[in-house]
Amino acid sequence: MQQGHNYSCLDAIFATRAPQRSNVSNIATLQLAMDMATGLHRFNMALAPLRNNQRGSSSSSSLFPSKDIFGSGFRPSRALKARRSLRFDAGFVSRIAVSCSTSPTTEPVTVGKKLTTRRDVRNIAIVAHVDHGKTTLVDAMLKQAKVFRDNQFVQERIMDSNDLERERGITILSKNTSITYKGTKINIIDTPGHSDFGGEVERVLNMVEGVLLVVDSVEGPMPQTRFVLKKALEYGHSVVVVVNKIDRPSARPDFVINSTFELFIELNATDEQCDFQVIYASGIKGKAGLSPDNLADDLGPLFEAILRCIPEPTINKDGALQMLVTNIEYDEHKGRIAIGRLHAGLLERGIEVKVCTSDETCRQAKVSELFVYQNFSRVPAENVEAGDICAVCGISDIMIGETIADKSSGKALPTIKVEEPTVKMSFSINTSPFVGREGKYVTSRNLRDRLYRELEKNLAMRVEDGETADTFIISGRGTLHITILIESMRREGYEFMVGPPKVINKRVNDELLEPFEIATVEVSEDHMGPVVELLGKRRGQMFDMQGIGLEGTSLLKYKIPTRGLLGLRNAILTASRGTAILNTVFDSYGPWAGDISTRDQGSLVAFEDGTTTSYALCSAQERGQMFVSPGMEVYKGQIVGIHQRPGDLSLNVCKKKAATNVRSNKEQTVVLDSPLFYSLDDCIEYIQEDELVEVTPQSIRMCKNPKFAKKRILGTKFLIKVGKVGKKKKKKKNCGCYLETMLENTVCTH
């Protein structure tokens, strides 16, 4: 047996029987031992000795092979059945005393000669998949910790302070707050739940010792759950699993706990990490408990689990000053604010420090102001001890990843590393006839300064110069990651053009590799056929399908190239009549999957500059769906609709009815269809290689890229000369022939 572990009574039973049992042959013995071990506080410790024996046995490779399926560590069916035979008893936890591997002590513990633990502080990050109730749970924690007055009005999702976050209903930027519970300060970091903002999660995990993994009681672990859990396990953090929304009618806590435990095994978690505490909660009601059927009236069990299961920060109180900067904020009066956790030493206001980088270059600086997080605000402080999270002002050129160290003997901490971007887009100055009408910043210098300023706080993004001086290549973790930047810039008064998203490929050993992602689609059984067909056309490979809840919905899991995801969201919503839910997360790089057709229809392009009329749109809407309505200004080359057939079609949407065409009878009433409304995300997904999105503070338009070679467009009037060989015969003048074909050998019939 491996030394250094605190084994329970069940482990003692396994230790006495270890020489007589094999890898899987005694699964029945495991089940019997679980029934005998009435003092066991969670079900998953039953696998710890088994996994230890498997790691040391020669036959472990046959049971748990190292080769992963789809790069995510899936195990053979035998092992899955062995683990699934150990089911979790939801009522078992409520009948026993719960304890964690991190046992509370009455005084600070000395870890080494210089390292100690700080008892009065806990640092945690709350991570979850998007829309699993993470921010709502933080609201309840703040309210029950008496952060706000009793008569104070508090809006929902108080941590989502950004306008974009409130409009989209997602968390984009990580934010810090703190509460005090039984004399212990709990620093809480709310993190984004979308995979495109994974860089925010990777960055803040440097500041904490544990995480609250929030999982929906119906959906269970989702793609972003896998990503954030993998990062937390790599840092060695303790994990408390919170099964949220337990009050839903279709909640299935047993399935969620078993799926989460299997996810821990697949991600090669240690035995101590697999021994996770489970808390059942309803964030919107502010209740939590150790059993899904017996919730307390408040979040007391959750707070107790944080104090009991999240380790105290290990610090070097008397060592040299060291603080790793993990976040940057800006204030109009205080300037740049560096946020991070103090790893060693004592930081005081007004002292001189040294700013060190990873390449061992240092510069002198001075701390003008110092803040700590108390309740929901920053509070000035004279000094900060190691182990706490603080904000530092006065260093105007501080960057994320740099270390604020002691003036004389300071050394840099390991820098923050995030995963490489997978999608890139081109930004260029606005070249449309409407340039400068709505925006304040329109030059390439303004665009360059804003993009490079974004790099100071967004580590997962890259900016490169394009082919021309007025073009820049922006690389990010996904289209949403870059779209949020575009939306922020247009609200700041910028005008620019955006090209279609492209994946970032790699070439290894003369083999072309492209990024693949794991896509999960929640769709009803009535629309499963069209969705499966759509994913198959985009080179998706299904590897799992299961039912969810009682609503007759299924969860489909695919491994699909990132190229196939471009424009997929709208297509899936159309195929499922708006009922499907698509979630994706980056998986790995794989061989080139082949050509993928992402759009089968062409565009309707404006023929000339002018103002749209009802007379012209009445005939134009017969060719497809329109983006414009009467009275809108358009310019030549602007995309005004979707063609119902492949290929682009040129239309005159500004044509007016002739004034001489007067009849005695009443004119026919013009009936127009409602135009399509495409948001910024929809436009980014719609455009192709030869198209651009024009972004202004008040409008979002699409147009053809004038830099591309002009292609033959349907609806153009051609002059064709026909006749016998050696004798040219001109086409009749004003014959009015319009050729709606792309064939080279088509001739006029006159």
Side-chain angles (χ1 to χ4, degrees):
M1 284 290 180
Q2 191 175 3
Q3 300 295 328
H5 292 280
N6 296 324
Y7 294 105
S8 61
C9 58
L10 180 59
D11 298 325
I13 296 174
F14 285 138
T16 58
R17 298 189 177 186
Q20 289 82 19
R21 60 186 170 86
S22 59
N23 290 330
V24 193
S25 59
N26 287 338
I27 295 299
T29 306
L30 290 177
Q31 189 68 48
L32 178 62
M34 285 191 65
D35 298 335
M36 296 172 60
T38 57
L40 187 62
H41 62 275
R42 280 182 304 279
F43 77 106
N44 50 26
M45 282 298 292
L47 295 184
L50 176 61
R51 296 170 72 244
N52 288 335
N53 189 35
Q54 289 166 345
R55 291 172 182 173
S57 63
S58 59
S59 61
S60 62
S61 60
S62 62
L63 183 61
F64 291 142
S66 59
K67 183 178 180 181
D68 295 340
I69 301 176
F70 299 121
S72 54
F74 288 103
R75 305 299 187 189
S77 58
R78 289 179 57 196
L80 289 179
K81 291 179 180 179
R83 290 201 301 275
R84 287 168 180 164
S85 65
L86 303 177
R87 288 300 180 190
F88 179 73
D89 186 1
F92 189 49
V93 172
S94 61
R95 298 194 300 267
I96 57 179
V98 180
S99 62
C100 289
S101 57
T102 304
S103 302
T105 56
T106 57
E107 58 185 18
V109 178
T110 302
V111 180
K113 294 182 179 180
K114 298 182 179 180
L115 299 180
T116 58
T117 59
R118 186 174 173 181
R119 291 282 301 141
D120 59 338
V121 174
R122 298 291 192 279
N123 300 317
I124 62 170
I126 301 184
V127 296
H129 186 80
V130 63
D131 200 28
H132 277 197
K134 166 178 47 58
T135 304
T136 305
L137 182 63
V138 176
D139 288 352
M141 296 174 67
L142 292 174
K143 292 177 182 178
Q144 296 189 17
K146 301 300 180 181
V147 173
F148 310 103
R149 302 188 311 270
D150 294 336
N151 61 346
Q152 183 177 355
F153 172 75
V154 180
Q155 56 186 351
E156 295 182 356
R157 295 184 289 114
I158 186 63
M159 295 296 288
D160 289 345
S161 56
N162 194 335
D163 292 338
L164 279 176
E165 293 176 329
R166 291 197 164 276
E167 291 175 7
R168 294 174 178 261
I170 60 175
T171 303
I172 298 173
L173 302 174
S174 60
K175 303 172 189 65
N176 299 63
T177 187
S178 71
I179 60 176
T180 302
Y181 182 77
K182 292 185 177 180
T184 301
K185 180 182 180 181
I186 303 177
N187 288 312
I188 302 174
I189 304 178
D190 186 19
T191 62
H194 200 282
S195 59
D196 286 14
F197 308 106
E200 293 280 330
V201 181
E202 296 177 67
R203 188 172 64 196
V204 303
L205 288 179
N206 290 274
M207 296 193 292
V208 300
E209 286 80 26
V211 297
L212 296 184
L213 181 67
V214 182
V215 185
D216 190 276
S217 62
V218 177
E219 296 180 355
M222 297 293 283
Q224 181 66 1
T225 309
R226 170 183 294 274
F227 174 80
V228 295
L229 179 60
K230 176 183 177 182
K231 294 299 178 182
L233 296 179
E234 289 177 354
Y235 280 95
H237 292 332
S238 301
V239 181
V240 175
V241 178
V242 180
V243 181
N244 196 22
K245 304 181 182 180
I246 197 63
D247 53 339
R248 294 182 62 178
S250 56
R252 43 178 187 172
D254 295 347
F255 169 81
V256 171
I257 293 299
N258 281 281
S259 301
T260 305
F261 179 69
E262 290 181 358
L263 182 59
F264 272 76
I265 300 296
E266 293 166 7
L267 297 178
N268 298 322
T270 63
D271 297 336
E272 291 79 8
Q273 290 172 330
C274 288
D275 182 25
F276 55 83
Q277 172 70 61
V278 180
I279 299 294
Y280 302 93
S282 173
I284 195 170
K285 294 182 178 180
K287 297 181 179 181
L290 301 177
S291 170
D293 302 325
N294 187 18
L295 299 182
D297 295 333
D298 55 11
L299 295 177
L302 177 60
F303 291 131
E304 293 291 343
I306 294 175
L307 298 184
R308 183 177 62 251
C309 302
I310 302 299
E312 303 91 347
T314 302
I315 61 173
N316 185 1
K317 185 176 181 180
D318 300 326
L321 174 65
Q322 278 186 320
M323 172 185 164
L324 182 65
V325 179
T326 55
N327 201 357
I328 293 290
E329 292 184 5
Y330 184 81
D331 186 86
E332 294 181 358
H333 304 287
K334 300 178 178 62
R336 192 185 296 267
I337 302 175
I339 302 174
R341 196 190 76 170
L342 193 60
H343 289 264
L346 180 68
L347 183 60
E348 298 178 342
R349 184 173 68 89
I351 66 171
E352 294 184 356
V353 294
K354 185 188 298 183
V355 180
C356 302
T357 59
S358 57
D359 55 357
E360 299 182 356
T361 59
C362 301
R363 62 186 185 275
Q364 300 295 326
K366 183 178 180 180
V367 177
S368 62
E369 292 188 73
L370 191 61
F371 297 89
V372 295
Y373 289 91
Q374 181 176 338
N375 294 337
F376 195 63
S377 59
R378 284 195 295 258
V379 179
E382 292 295 327
N383 56 72
V384 177
E385 297 181 1
D388 203 353
I389 297 175
C390 62
V392 178
C393 302
I395 309 176
S396 59
D397 57 348
I398 191 71
M399 301 288 292
I400 294 178
E402 294 182 337
T403 303
I404 300 177
D406 185 73
K407 180 181 178 181
S408 58
S409 59
K411 295 183 179 179
L413 291 169
T415 186
I416 302 174
K417 296 182 179 179
V418 297
E419 293 187 2
E420 295 295 323
T422 58
V423 177
K424 61 181 179 180
M425 297 172 62
S426 64
F427 285 38
S428 59
I429 61 173
N430 191 0
T431 56
S432 76
F434 297 163
V435 60
R437 290 190 178 186
E438 303 172 359
K440 182 179 178 182
Y441 307 105
V442 296
T443 64
S444 60
R445 178 181 60 83
N446 299 138
L447 189 59
R448 174 189 293 272
D449 293 343
R450 177 61 179 85
L451 292 176
Y452 279 95
R453 193 164 63 248
E454 182 70 19
L455 298 181
E456 298 177 359
K457 58 181 180 180
N458 201 333
L459 293 184
M461 190 166 287
R462 303 286 186 271
V463 178
E464 303 174 359
D465 293 337
E467 299 178 354
T468 60
D470 56 1
T471 305
F472 306 93
I473 305 299
I474 313 300
S475 303
R477 299 282 285 268
T479 55
L480 182 61
H481 187 200
I482 305 178
T483 302
I484 292 298
L485 172 62
I486 298 173
E487 184 65 31
S488 301
M489 291 177 61
R490 71 181 288 255
R491 297 190 180 197
E492 296 170 8
Y494 287 85
E495 279 192 14
F496 53 97
M497 293 281 196
V498 179
K502 302 177 182 178
V503 298
I504 301 176
N505 300 320
K506 292 183 178 180
R507 187 170 293 275
V508 179
N509 298 329
D510 295 334
E511 183 181 7
L512 183 61
L513 304 179
E514 66 173 332
F516 281 78
E517 300 191 25
I518 299 298
T520 61
V521 184
E522 183 179 342
V523 61
S524 62
E525 296 180 357
D526 298 337
H527 305 103
M528 187 182 300
V531 172
V532 170
E533 181 181 2
L534 185 62
L535 290 167
K537 290 182 178 179
R538 293 175 178 253
R539 307 285 183 176
Q541 297 180 354
M542 183 190 298
F543 63 88
D544 189 18
M545 180 175 66
Q546 57 185 350
I548 296 182
L550 305 176
E551 293 85 4
T553 60
S554 298
L555 188 69
L556 312 177
K557 294 185 179 181
Y558 278 81
K559 184 176 182 181
I560 185 171
T562 304
R563 290 183 297 125
L565 294 175
L566 303 179
L568 180 62
R569 194 176 304 275
N570 283 335
I572 283 185
L573 290 176
T574 302
S576 62
R577 296 185 180 180
T579 59
I581 300 176
L582 173 65
N583 294 289
T584 61
V585 66
F586 173 76
D587 181 58
S588 61
Y589 274 84
W592 179 263
D595 295 333
I596 298 177
S597 177
T598 58
R599 199 178 84 186
D600 298 330
Q601 296 175 317
S603 300
L604 300 177
V605 184
F607 187 77
E608 61 182 9
D609 303 346
T611 303
T612 58
T613 63
S614 301
Y615 176 74
L617 292 178
C618 182
S619 58
Q621 67 183 6
E622 299 177 359
R623 303 300 182 93
Q625 295 175 297
M626 307 302 297
F627 292 141
V628 294
S629 57
M632 295 180 60
E633 286 191 86
V634 298
Y635 55 86
K636 184 179 180 180
Q638 180 179 337
I639 298 176
V640 295
I642 303 176
H643 193 203
Q644 59 187 2
R645 299 178 182 178
D648 298 335
L649 176 65
S650 180
L651 291 176
N652 187 358
V653 292
C654 305
K655 182 173 56 175
K656 298 180 180 180
K657 188 174 183 180
T660 57
N661 190 11
V662 179
R663 297 291 186 270
S664 60
N665 57 339
K666 186 178 179 180
E667 296 185 8
Q668 184 178 2
T669 303
V670 176
V671 180
L672 297 178
D673 298 334
S674 299
L676 294 176
F677 173 76
Y678 267 19
S679 63
L680 176 61
D681 303 78
D682 298 333
C683 293
I684 294 296
E685 290 187 353
Y686 175 80
I687 59 175
Q688 290 188 331
E689 184 69 22
D690 60 338
E691 298 170 345
L692 297 172
V693 176
E694 179 189 357
V695 179
T696 67
Q698 299 179 13
S699 306
I700 298 176
R701 309 180 185 92
M702 292 179 289
C703 63
K704 306 300 289 188
N705 192 344
K707 295 183 180 180
F708 275 72
K710 293 184 178 180
K711 299 180 180 180
R712 183 172 294 181
I713 303 178
L714 298 180
T716 303
K717 183 177 180 181
F718 300 100
L719 181 65
I720 304 178
K721 299 179 180 180
V722 295
K724 298 181 180 179
V725 179
K727 182 180 179 181
K728 296 182 180 179
K729 182 179 180 181
K730 290 186 178 181
K731 176 178 172 283
K732 285 185 179 181
K733 186 177 181 180
N734 297 329
C735 69
C737 285
Y738 286 83
L739 307 179
E740 294 190 5
T741 180
M742 300 293 289
L743 300 177
E744 295 287 345
N745 58 353
T746 302
V747 296
C748 179
T749 57
H750 287 80

